[in-house]
Amino acid sequence: LPATSASLAAADTARFVAMVRRDLPALSAALADELVYVHSSSVRQSKTDQLRDLEKGVAVYQSIDVRTQEPSLYGETGVIQGVAAFTTAGTAGPSTFTLRYTDVYVRRNGRWQMVAWHCTRMPESK
């Protein structure tokens, strides 16, 4: 199948669903081995770190509500600019926040894998 904006957006949405469901096999397939994941706190993680934190309950995503998702394609590379509201739990306690994010995917063997994520916490509206 050819790379399309719709397939890229669907891969991103499926990754968020896997995070909420703590579906480690699906998430492992969605994340590239060389993933660099930078949280809004500036903590940098690898794929291994991400999966370990989900497995151990350090990170628990109760819901992820995608507000905007703007995919762009550059050959076999896709970039998504988006905004999503997160509700989390885990060892740091419950939290609700909105992130503006950029993530980068590479298409390999007919499927998208995320290679980079970077996000910024948006100010809370009053």
Side-chain angles (χ1 to χ4, degrees):
L1 295 171
T4 64
S5 293
S7 70
L8 175 58
D12 198 43
T13 299
R15 181 183 58 82
F16 286 138
V17 168
M19 289 170 69
V20 171
R21 291 183 178 163
R22 292 175 72 185
D23 183 343
L24 298 178
L27 201 52
S28 183
L31 304 179
D33 288 344
E34 70 273 27
L35 173 70
V36 175
Y37 195 103
V38 180
H39 293 269
S40 61
S41 63
S42 83
V43 169
R44 182 179 192 247
Q45 288 191 311
S46 67
K47 175 181 178 173
T48 303
D49 297 332
Q50 272 280 293
L51 295 174
R52 182 194 63 237
D53 281 0
L54 277 168
E55 184 177 25
K56 293 186 176 210
V58 174
V60 176
Y61 295 90
Q62 295 177 317
S63 69
I64 301 172
D65 176 28
V66 176
R67 305 271 171 86
T68 64
Q69 192 180 47
E70 301 169 25
S72 299
L73 297 179
Y74 307 94
E76 294 296 300
T77 301
V79 176
I80 294 186
Q81 302 287 330
V83 173
F86 289 71
T87 301
T88 62
T91 56
S95 186
T96 300
F97 49 89
T98 303
L99 299 176
R100 182 175 305 280
Y101 68 91
T102 301
D103 55 4
V104 180
Y105 285 81
V106 174
R107 194 157 166 85
R108 295 181 175 146
N109 300 317
R111 65 184 172 92
W112 292 107
Q113 283 194 305
M114 190 172 78
V115 295
W117 164 275
H118 195 280
C119 61
T120 301
R121 192 178 289 235
M122 296 179 69
E124 298 303 318
S125 51
K126 304 219 175 193

